[in-house]
Amino acid sequence: MAGPDPELAAKLQPDVPHAARIWNYWMGGKDNFQSDRAAGDAVAEVYPEIVLMAQQSRVFLVRAVRHLAAEAGIRQFLDIGTGLPTMQNTHAVAQGVAPDSRIVYVDNDPMVLVHARALLASTTSEGVTTYVPADYHDPEKILAEAAQTLDFDQPIAVMYMGVMGYEPDLDVVRSIVGRTMDAVPSGSHLVLWDGTNTSPAVVSGADRLAQSGGVPYILRSPQELESCFDGLVMVEPGLVPIPLWRPEEPDAVGIDAYGAVARKP
């Protein structure tokens, strides 16, 4: 992969902990700096389960995307706030089931954009994988750019995977999700998960993250997350801790992160 261009490289700020790089560290990735590892370790000291949450978030993504591609017949995916690539990314899972799947990744992080080249090169010959540099607070821009790749007359899976905690106002979150889902046709799906305030330890972990210089992450109740799915029809088993969404392991246990897949009628 070619090196980053100077403008992007100047934005990386290796001495400032960054959410996408901290998450990459927890997932066992290599695309992080010492500041990210220090912040990640500080959180793990008070909430060791954060590493499990990071790992389980990818398991949830794989199961959800596989369900949508294999069982729901979805061939278009709009992954908003995708973060740094690690393993089993959305396009790899979807195109592994249906090689003609079309995937649009969206992120405003310069380090993610540096890595976009590698993802774009790994798509199937039948499918399409592309990136839109944008902030999820601007869904109209995202939708306009995505329309160059996706057919908005056909169902689209819209994905917000653990990113809405960076927006402190729940009404803003609901507005972003609602405006995006309003633009996609019947038969489209929403996939969303986020960390929840369901234990004192995870709340302490979020506090430690902010104290370590990371971007504050707002933990919400499962009921608050459920309100983001208003007007949609939940796919079984509904909104549950992400390890319990269609688990393949008989001994799966819940964690402080809830997610769901829902269909637009």
Side-chain angles (χ1 to χ4, degrees), residues 95-183:
Q95 292 173 348
V97 175
D100 60 335
S101 296
R102 306 173 74 84
I103 292 85
V104 174
Y105 290 110
V106 180
D107 210 292
N108 68 338
D109 179 82
M111 194 162 182
V112 172
L113 299 178
V114 166
H115 286 266
R117 299 185 189 94
L119 282 183
L120 298 180
S122 65
T123 193
T124 60
S125 59
E126 304 96 323
V128 176
T129 303
T130 190
Y131 252 95
V132 171
D135 190 303
Y136 66 51
H137 290 90
D138 192 357
E140 285 71 29
K141 176 183 177 181
I142 291 170
L143 293 165
E145 294 282 341
Q148 298 180 28
T149 300
L150 306 180
D151 180 357
F152 275 73
D153 290 328
Q154 299 297 321
I156 296 170
V158 177
M159 303 169 60
Y160 292 100
M161 309 299 279
V163 298
M164 286 305 189
Y166 297 110
E167 168 48 56
D169 190 330
L170 180 59
D171 287 336
V172 173
V173 172
R174 291 193 189 109
S175 174
I176 291 169
V177 174
R179 285 147 65 196
T180 307
M181 294 308 296
D182 284 346

Side-chain angles (χ1 to χ4, degrees), residues 16-167:
V16 178
H18 191 280
R21 300 194 307 252
I22 296 171
W23 200 253
N24 176 267
Y25 172 56
W26 286 329
M27 290 188 71
K30 304 299 183 183
D31 298 304
N32 48 74
F33 298 114
Q34 178 56 39
S35 63
D36 310 307
R37 295 189 286 273
D41 289 342
V43 175
E45 283 180 6
V46 296
Y47 186 63
E49 291 82 2
I50 190 63
V51 176
L52 176 63
M53 185 187 295
Q55 296 167 347
Q56 285 295 322
S57 71
R58 187 47 52 111
V59 174
F60 173 65
L61 180 150
V62 170
R63 289 175 181 161
V65 171
R66 189 175 291 149
H67 161 77
L68 291 169
E71 300 180 41
I74 300 297
R75 296 293 179 266
Q76 303 187 107
F77 296 82
L78 180 56
D79 188 340
I80 301 175
T82 181
L84 285 165
T86 50
M87 72 294 288
Q88 292 184 293
N89 300 294
T90 298
H91 75 284
V93 179
Q95 292 173 348
V97 175
D100 60 335
S101 296
R102 306 173 74 84
I103 292 85
V104 174
Y105 290 110
V106 180
D107 210 292
N108 68 338
D109 179 82
M111 194 162 182
V112 172
L113 299 178
V114 166
H115 286 266
R117 299 185 189 94
L119 282 183
L120 298 180
S122 65
T123 193
T124 60
S125 59
E126 304 96 323
V128 176
T129 303
T130 190
Y131 252 95
V132 171
D135 190 303
Y136 66 51
H137 290 90
D138 192 357
E140 285 71 29
K141 176 183 177 181
I142 291 170
L143 293 165
E145 294 282 341
Q148 298 180 28
T149 300
L150 306 180
D151 180 357
F152 275 73
D153 290 328
Q154 299 297 321
I156 296 170
V158 177
M159 303 169 60
Y160 292 100
M161 309 299 279
V163 298
M164 286 305 189
Y166 297 110
E167 168 48 56

Side-chain angles (χ1 to χ4, degrees), residues 145-235:
E145 294 282 341
Q148 298 180 28
T149 300
L150 306 180
D151 180 357
F152 275 73
D153 290 328
Q154 299 297 321
I156 296 170
V158 177
M159 303 169 60
Y160 292 100
M161 309 299 279
V163 298
M164 286 305 189
Y166 297 110
E167 168 48 56
D169 190 330
L170 180 59
D171 287 336
V172 173
V173 172
R174 291 193 189 109
S175 174
I176 291 169
V177 174
R179 285 147 65 196
T180 307
M181 294 308 296
D182 284 346
V184 297
S186 174
S188 294
H189 287 68
L190 172 65
V191 187
L192 183 150
W193 80 267
D194 251 314
T196 52
N197 57 4
T198 41
S199 78
V202 72
V203 173
S204 296
D207 291 341
R208 183 66 66 88
L209 176 64
Q211 294 165 7
S212 301
V215 177
Y217 189 92
I218 307 303
L219 298 168
R220 298 189 165 94
S221 70
Q223 293 75 23
E224 288 174 318
L225 291 185
E226 191 168 18
S227 70
C228 296
F229 293 87
D230 286 352
L232 305 177
V233 179
M234 288 282 191
V235 173

